[in-house]
Amino acid sequence: MSGWPLIDVAWPYAVMCASAFVSATLLPFASEAVLAAQIKGGLGSVVGLVTAATIGNVGGSTLNWWMGRVLRQFEGRRWFPFKPTSIVAATERFQRYGVWVLLLAWLPVIGDPLTLVAGVLRVPLVPFLVFVTLGKAARYVVIAFIL
Protein backbone atom coordinates (compact mmCIF):
# COMPACT_ATOMS: atom_id res chain seq x y z
CA MET A 1 0.00 0.00 0.00
CA SER A 2 1.46 3.28 -1.11
CA GLY A 3 -0.75 5.49 1.01
CA TRP A 4 -2.25 6.76 -2.25
CA PRO A 5 -5.53 4.84 -2.66
CA LEU A 6 -5.96 5.73 -6.33
CA ILE A 7 -2.47 4.47 -7.16
CA ASP A 8 -3.08 1.26 -5.20
CA VAL A 9 -6.20 0.61 -7.28
CA ALA A 10 -4.95 1.84 -10.66
CA TRP A 11 -1.44 0.39 -10.95
CA PRO A 12 -2.44 -3.07 -12.28
CA TYR A 13 -4.47 -1.43 -15.04
CA ALA A 14 -1.65 0.97 -15.90
CA VAL A 15 0.84 -1.91 -16.05
CA MET A 16 -1.57 -3.91 -18.20
CA CYS A 17 -2.15 -0.98 -20.55
CA ALA A 18 1.57 -0.23 -20.88
CA SER A 19 2.56 -3.84 -21.49
CA ALA A 20 -0.17 -4.22 -24.11
CA PHE A 21 0.94 -0.99 -25.79
CA VAL A 22 4.54 -2.16 -26.04
CA SER A 23 3.54 -5.61 -27.27
CA ALA A 24 1.50 -4.06 -30.10
CA THR A 25 4.46 -2.14 -31.45
CA LEU A 26 7.20 -3.80 -33.45
CA LEU A 27 9.03 -4.52 -30.18
CA PRO A 28 8.76 -8.09 -28.89
CA PHE A 29 6.68 -8.41 -25.73
CA ALA A 30 3.90 -10.72 -24.52
CA SER A 31 1.00 -8.86 -22.94
CA GLU A 32 -0.97 -12.10 -22.75
CA ALA A 33 1.41 -13.33 -20.03
CA VAL A 34 0.93 -10.10 -18.07
CA LEU A 35 -2.85 -10.39 -18.41
CA ALA A 36 -2.80 -14.02 -17.26
CA ALA A 37 -0.55 -13.24 -14.29
CA GLN A 38 -2.68 -10.30 -13.18
CA ILE A 39 -5.92 -12.24 -13.48
CA LYS A 40 -4.49 -15.26 -11.67
CA GLY A 41 -3.04 -12.97 -8.99
CA GLY A 42 -6.38 -11.22 -8.50
CA LEU A 43 -4.75 -7.83 -9.06
CA GLY A 44 -7.77 -6.29 -10.73
CA SER A 45 -11.16 -7.01 -12.18
CA VAL A 46 -11.12 -9.21 -15.26
CA VAL A 47 -13.23 -6.71 -17.20
CA GLY A 48 -10.95 -3.84 -16.18
CA LEU A 49 -7.78 -5.73 -17.09
CA VAL A 50 -9.18 -6.85 -20.46
CA THR A 51 -10.28 -3.27 -21.15
CA ALA A 52 -6.86 -1.86 -20.19
CA ALA A 53 -5.13 -4.49 -22.35
CA THR A 54 -7.36 -3.69 -25.31
CA ILE A 55 -6.85 0.07 -24.97
CA GLY A 56 -3.08 -0.30 -24.70
CA ASN A 57 -2.83 -2.79 -27.55
CA VAL A 58 -4.98 -0.71 -29.89
CA GLY A 59 -2.89 2.32 -28.92
CA GLY A 60 0.31 0.53 -29.91
CA SER A 61 -1.25 -0.58 -33.19
CA THR A 62 -2.35 2.98 -33.84
CA LEU A 63 1.24 4.10 -33.31
CA ASN A 64 2.28 1.55 -35.96
CA TRP A 65 -0.45 2.86 -38.30
CA TRP A 66 0.73 6.44 -37.78
CA MET A 67 4.38 5.46 -38.38
CA GLY A 68 3.30 3.77 -41.61
CA ARG A 69 1.54 6.95 -42.75
CA VAL A 70 4.57 9.08 -41.92
CA LEU A 71 6.95 6.56 -43.45
CA ARG A 72 5.14 6.72 -46.80
CA GLN A 73 6.44 10.26 -47.37
CA PHE A 74 9.93 8.77 -47.70
CA GLU A 75 8.92 6.36 -50.45
CA GLY A 76 11.52 6.33 -53.19
CA ARG A 77 14.48 6.74 -50.87
CA ARG A 78 17.02 3.96 -50.88
CA TRP A 79 16.46 3.03 -47.23
CA PHE A 80 12.64 2.94 -47.51
CA PRO A 81 11.67 -0.55 -46.24
CA PHE A 82 9.02 -1.29 -48.90
CA LYS A 83 9.66 -1.61 -52.62
CA PRO A 84 7.00 -0.11 -54.93
CA THR A 85 6.07 -3.63 -56.05
CA SER A 86 5.51 -4.65 -52.40
CA ILE A 87 3.21 -1.68 -51.85
CA VAL A 88 1.25 -2.56 -54.99
CA ALA A 89 0.94 -6.20 -53.86
CA ALA A 90 -0.13 -5.19 -50.36
CA THR A 91 -2.64 -2.73 -51.79
CA GLU A 92 -4.11 -5.47 -53.97
CA ARG A 93 -4.42 -7.80 -50.97
CA PHE A 94 -6.09 -5.08 -48.93
CA GLN A 95 -8.46 -4.42 -51.81
CA ARG A 96 -9.19 -8.14 -52.16
CA TYR A 97 -9.83 -8.75 -48.46
CA GLY A 98 -10.65 -5.20 -47.41
CA VAL A 99 -10.16 -3.78 -43.97
CA TRP A 100 -11.55 -7.04 -42.60
CA VAL A 101 -7.98 -8.35 -42.66
CA LEU A 102 -7.30 -5.97 -39.75
CA LEU A 103 -9.33 -8.31 -37.54
CA LEU A 104 -6.15 -10.43 -37.66
CA ALA A 105 -3.94 -7.66 -36.23
CA TRP A 106 -3.76 -9.62 -32.96
CA LEU A 107 -1.84 -12.49 -34.58
CA PRO A 108 1.77 -12.98 -33.53
CA VAL A 109 4.44 -12.11 -36.11
CA ILE A 110 2.10 -10.74 -38.81
CA GLY A 111 -0.23 -8.55 -36.75
CA ASP A 112 2.14 -5.72 -35.88
CA PRO A 113 3.55 -5.33 -39.41
CA LEU A 114 -0.01 -5.53 -40.73
CA THR A 115 -0.93 -2.40 -38.78
CA LEU A 116 2.18 -0.63 -40.10
CA VAL A 117 1.27 -1.60 -43.66
CA ALA A 118 -2.27 -0.30 -43.06
CA GLY A 119 -0.74 3.09 -42.35
CA VAL A 120 1.53 2.92 -45.40
CA LEU A 121 -1.56 2.11 -47.50
CA ARG A 122 -3.47 5.03 -45.96
CA VAL A 123 -6.28 2.94 -44.46
CA PRO A 124 -8.62 5.51 -42.86
CA LEU A 125 -8.33 5.78 -39.07
CA VAL A 126 -11.94 5.00 -38.11
CA PRO A 127 -12.22 1.66 -39.97
CA PHE A 128 -8.70 0.83 -38.78
CA LEU A 129 -9.71 1.41 -35.15
CA VAL A 130 -12.96 -0.51 -35.45
CA PHE A 131 -11.46 -3.68 -36.93
CA VAL A 132 -8.25 -3.67 -34.91
CA THR A 133 -10.19 -3.10 -31.68
CA LEU A 134 -12.65 -5.90 -32.42
CA GLY A 135 -9.88 -8.40 -33.14
CA LYS A 136 -7.68 -7.45 -30.21
CA ALA A 137 -10.54 -7.27 -27.71
CA ALA A 138 -11.77 -10.70 -28.80
CA ARG A 139 -8.30 -12.15 -28.25
CA TYR A 140 -8.08 -10.79 -24.69
CA VAL A 141 -11.62 -11.93 -23.88
CA VAL A 142 -10.77 -15.45 -25.04
CA ILE A 143 -7.58 -15.47 -22.93
CA ALA A 144 -9.51 -14.27 -19.86
CA PHE A 145 -12.25 -16.82 -20.46
CA ILE A 146 -9.73 -19.67 -20.72
CA LEU A 147 -8.23 -18.71 -17.37
Side-chain angles (χ1 to χ4, degrees):
M1 298 296 262
S2 69
W4 295 77
L6 184 58
I7 291 174
D8 292 337
V9 171
W11 77 264
Y13 305 106
V15 167
M16 186 68 257
C17 189
S19 70
F21 182 91
V22 170
S23 72
T25 65
L26 298 175
L27 299 172
F29 197 78
S31 62
E32 298 86 356
V34 175
L35 178 64
Q38 289 194 342
I39 289 173
K40 290 283 190 184
L43 298 177
S45 77
V46 173
V47 171
L49 291 169
V50 166
T51 301
T54 301
I55 290 168
N57 214 237
V58 171
S61 292
T62 304
L63 175 64
N64 293 342
W65 172 87
W66 176 80
M67 288 188 322
R69 289 183 66 92
V70 169
L71 196 59
R72 186 74 187 260
Q73 71 184 333
F74 300 107
E75 186 176 358
R77 300 211 177 154
R78 189 177 320 155
W79 56 266
F80 187 73
F82 303 104
K83 304 249 182 279
T85 55
S86 299
I87 293 175
V88 169
T91 301
E92 289 171 358
R93 277 191 296 278
F94 257 85
Q95 288 172 340
R96 186 176 325 130
Y97 300 111
V99 293
W100 291 92
V101 74
L102 291 171
L103 288 169
L104 302 176
W106 64 270
L107 286 171
V109 181
I110 68 164
D112 299 337
L114 182 63
T115 59
L116 182 77
V117 169
V120 169
L121 297 177
R122 304 275 190 219
V123 171
L125 181 60
V126 171
F128 173 86
L129 289 173
V130 167
F131 288 100
V132 169
T133 300
L134 287 173
K136 289 180 180 270
R139 181 234 351 233
Y140 287 123
V141 166
V142 168
I143 291 168
F145 183 75
I146 290 171
L147 297 173

